[in-house]
Amino acid sequence: MAELNVRVDAKEDMEKEIAQIVKQCPEGRRKEVSTQMEGFQRLFARFLEERGPSVRWEDIEPAGDAMKAYGSLASVDLENIEVIRKHLDKLVVLKLNGGLGTSMGCKGPKSLIAVRGEHTFLDLTVEQIQVLNKKYNVSIPLVLMNSFNTHTDTLKILRKYHGCGVPIYTFEQSCYPRVSKESLMPIDADLANKEAWYPPGHGDFYEAFYNSSYLTKFINDGKKFIFVSNIDNLGASVDLNILNFLLSQPEDKPCEFVAEVTDKTRADVKGGTLINYEGKLRLLEIAQVPKDHIDEFTSVSKFKIFNTNNMWVNLEAIKRLTEQTAWNMEIIRNEKTTDSGLRVIQLETAAGAAIKHFEGAIGVNVPRRRFLPVKLTSDLLLVMSNLYTLQAGTLSISSKRQFPGVPLIKLGQDKFRKVKDFLARFANIPDLLELDHLTVSGDVSFGKNVILKGTVIIIAHHGERIDIASGSVLENKIVSGNLRIVDH
């Protein structure tokens, strides 16, 4: 009973705090802020009501018939231009663009980092859609969901794409108050204090998109599906076979949601997976897994696939579910310490977790090429190298690569974490076509035209420096701090 009273008090106190926040915000933003705070209050109320794990481990079942192999989808006839044009006319592309480049030592939106020559993530995205629009005489719109961290800088850079043949729209996702871990109240009501606010994860996409008015616009324009993906996933391009599958379903048995998954490797053990739970397809994230089952979750043997965060979603279904206030995605409790030392809680949700709400939802096991995220400079080394070729804004594995998969690369975070420092350590990017594994640690630099093959490990201990000479060919070698090279 005491615990119940605490929860009731917390809910009532939060309602008062939120009312004050809305009351004191500028008149021009009051309606927008009020709508967002309603969403936060629903999330906070669910947080207070939660009891224990969101899934019972013993009730988890394989996804079964709700999982399709990509190869089982009908292949689109690329010669039938008219059919492709009609399909593409039904599509909207949205990129999740709320992240900063801080994990790679950069300021501003991550989408503005150059990843291939002078091309940024955003450049490549625009080019992909530009090529489709021109080739098939369509007008696929690109939508960017920004956060308050990225919105202003993104708007400035969009001027460069004026007249490119791609209609570009932007909106800001919601902005929720961080709450004190101790009091469960907002740490500051001032909207100008960025430390007190946060974007609540990409699960906010559905409501934020609805509130932007673009959802209604695109439905009125005759659009049927939206392809959603992270802007830093360079493999997430428009796939005609998936789009064809969605548009070919009978009206009485629609497929309203497709989640792209791919085979798990040892590098992906923490990624979410799809399960059957209580008769519904569900996304299971590591945060939902009981501690004594973590090893089982991360094993490749039981959970063989993971979620790429590429999603195809029916627009009318988003509208219906939002108007029914039906969203009930699992809450991710993200605890942080602010720069000023306050311990706070951020309540977030994942977009893929909404799969349980959609009719006929399925997972499609896609080729690995559709998952090419750039999270660290080790990923950047891969996509900058000759392992990939660039055509029409899309990166593809080079035909000269004779081995399946891509190399595993680990670069020491002390010297290679920041993009600026990473670039300074390579006179040019090494030849990686025959590389299997690369580990680099310490003060290491590479000259021009270096070739790396097999397994290469380069370790410079504290106080030592290693310079790999221009033209060096390292194959199955360990290079230690004294530059001694031995067979591996």
Side-chain angles (χ1 to χ4, degrees):
M1 179 66 71
E3 187 181 346
L4 176 62
N5 289 336
V6 168
R7 292 199 308 273
V8 170
D9 289 345
K11 185 177 179 181
E12 291 177 352
D13 289 346
M14 180 61 78
E15 289 172 355
K16 294 174 184 175
E17 289 285 327
I18 294 302
Q20 279 300 114
I21 289 172
V22 173
K23 183 179 179 180
Q24 68 185 43
C25 77
E27 180 70 31
R29 292 196 59 195
R30 193 161 294 163
K31 183 179 179 181
E32 169 201 352
V33 171
S34 178
T35 299
Q36 292 184 16
M37 291 304 99
E38 288 173 8
F40 170 74
Q41 285 182 277
R42 287 193 293 270
L43 187 64
F44 185 74
R46 288 203 296 117
F47 166 70
L48 293 176
E49 293 165 4
E50 282 195 340
R51 290 284 185 284
S54 59
V55 294
R56 294 179 301 277
W57 193 257
E58 62 274 13
D59 293 341
I60 290 174
E61 297 177 350
D65 294 339
M67 189 69 64
K68 288 186 177 292
Y70 179 79
S72 71
L73 304 182
S75 296
V76 172
D77 180 3
L78 297 179
E79 300 298 318
N80 196 333
I81 302 297
E82 185 58 24
V83 168
I84 294 174
R85 186 188 68 75
K86 287 181 179 178
H87 283 2
L88 291 176
D89 262 340
K90 305 294 185 184
L91 182 66
V92 178
V93 173
L94 183 139
K95 294 292 182 179
L96 302 170
N97 186 47
L100 296 169
T102 48
S103 66
M104 297 168 71
C106 297
K107 294 181 179 180
K110 187 177 183 181
S111 58
L112 307 186
I113 296 175
V115 290
R116 185 79 182 198
E118 296 298 315
H119 290 85
T120 66
F121 291 104
L122 187 54
D123 289 337
L124 296 177
T125 296
V126 172
E127 187 177 351
Q128 289 172 14
I129 299 174
Q130 183 182 43
V131 168
L132 288 173
N133 284 349
K134 185 175 181 180
K135 182 175 181 178
Y136 296 104
N137 190 29
V138 292
S139 185
I140 303 168
L142 170 63
V143 184
L144 301 175
M145 185 175 87
N146 305 323
S147 68
F148 66 83
N149 290 316
T150 63
H151 192 63
T152 300
D153 287 339
T154 298
L155 291 181
K156 290 176 183 176
I157 206 70
L158 288 183
R159 298 168 190 155
K160 70 183 277 191
Y161 303 111
H162 182 71
C164 72
V166 178
I168 301 176
Y169 303 87
T170 68
F171 67 95
E172 270 189 80
Q173 73 171 112
S174 303
C175 178
Y176 285 178
R178 285 172 161 169
V179 300
S180 164
K181 186 177 179 182
E182 284 72 30
S183 69
L184 292 184
M185 290 295 107
I187 62 172
D188 193 344
D190 185 0
L191 291 170
N193 179 8
K194 285 195 172 185
E195 187 178 68
W197 300 84
Y198 71 99
H202 42 62
D204 177 55
F205 151 67
Y206 305 101
E207 291 191 67
F209 187 42
Y210 179 92
N211 293 335
S212 74
S213 78
Y214 290 135
L215 175 61
T216 301
K217 169 188 162 46
F218 293 134
I219 290 173
N220 291 341
D221 289 346
K223 307 297 183 183
K224 296 295 184 185
F225 283 91
I226 187 164
F227 173 45
V228 181
S229 63
N230 297 334
I231 200 161
D232 65 2
N233 179 5
L234 295 177
S237 56
V238 171
D239 187 278
L240 296 175
N241 293 344
I242 296 177
L243 180 61
N244 176 64
F245 168 81
L246 288 165
L247 292 171
S248 301
Q249 300 307 298
E251 285 190 17
D252 60 336
K253 287 188 177 180
C255 174
E256 295 181 340
F257 191 108
V258 165
E260 293 188 37
V261 299
T262 196
D263 291 343
K264 185 190 287 187
T265 69
R266 283 176 295 176
D268 315 307
V269 293
K270 293 184 178 180
T273 192
L274 292 183
I275 58 170
N276 188 312
Y277 189 77
E278 297 180 338
K280 288 276 192 177
L281 193 60
R282 292 270 291 264
L283 175 67
L284 178 66
E285 297 278 11
I286 194 168
Q288 300 165 250
V289 178
K291 288 183 179 179
D292 52 347
H293 291 285
I294 292 291
D295 289 344
E296 192 178 351
F297 176 80
T298 56
S299 74
V300 181
S301 56
K302 181 169 183 176
F303 298 99
K304 300 179 186 298
I305 52 96
F306 75 99
N307 178 38
T308 66
N309 216 42
N310 299 347
M311 296 159 284
W312 302 73
V313 195
N314 182 285
L315 293 172
E316 289 279 7
I318 295 174
K319 184 174 187 290
R320 180 188 77 238
L321 289 165
T322 304
E323 291 177 350
Q324 292 173 353
T325 323
W327 305 116
N328 187 30
M329 287 90 85
E330 289 72 22
I331 297 172
I332 301 167
R333 175 184 172 135
N334 193 351
E335 295 189 11
K336 290 180 175 289
T337 301
T338 67
D339 291 342
S340 58
L342 294 174
R343 294 193 302 168
V344 298
I345 298 172
Q346 297 181 178
L347 303 179
E348 303 174 7
T349 56
I355 191 169
K356 64 185 178 182
H357 294 303
F358 291 90
E359 298 296 324
I362 65 166
V364 174
N365 192 343
V366 297
R368 184 75 185 198
R369 66 174 182 269
R370 293 193 56 76
F371 184 67
L372 185 57
V374 179
K375 304 294 185 185
L376 303 169
T377 52
S378 52
D379 303 320
L380 197 57
L381 179 60
L382 281 174
V383 300
M384 284 183 164
S385 76
N386 59 348
L387 277 170
Y388 290 93
T389 58
L390 177 63
Q391 185 174 12
T394 301
L395 289 175
S396 304
I397 286 280
S398 170
S399 59
K400 297 177 182 178
R401 171 76 171 174
Q402 297 180 355
F403 312 105
V406 297
L408 181 62
I409 295 180
K410 298 178 180 178
L411 302 179
Q413 290 296 286
D414 57 333
K415 302 294 184 183
F416 288 85
R417 184 181 74 85
K418 296 181 179 181
V419 172
K420 182 178 68 172
D421 297 339
F422 159 83
L423 293 173
R425 291 185 174 275
F426 293 94
N428 62 11
I429 300 300
D431 181 326
L432 306 184
L433 281 174
E434 297 182 41
L435 181 69
D436 295 323
H437 177 107
L438 173 67
T439 293
V440 182
S441 179
D443 190 359
V444 180
S445 295
F446 294 79
K448 291 183 178 181
N449 305 322
V450 172
I451 300 175
L452 304 176
K453 301 182 179 183
T455 295
V456 178
I457 299 172
I458 307 171
I459 308 292
H461 298 293
H462 181 70
E464 298 172 333
R465 175 185 173 91
I466 294 177
D467 293 305
I468 305 299
S470 294
S472 296
V473 178
L474 301 183
E475 182 173 4
N476 295 325
K477 299 292 182 183
I478 296 175
V479 183
S480 64
N482 58 13
L483 295 182
R484 182 168 54 91
I485 298 178
V486 296
D487 287 334
H488 175 72

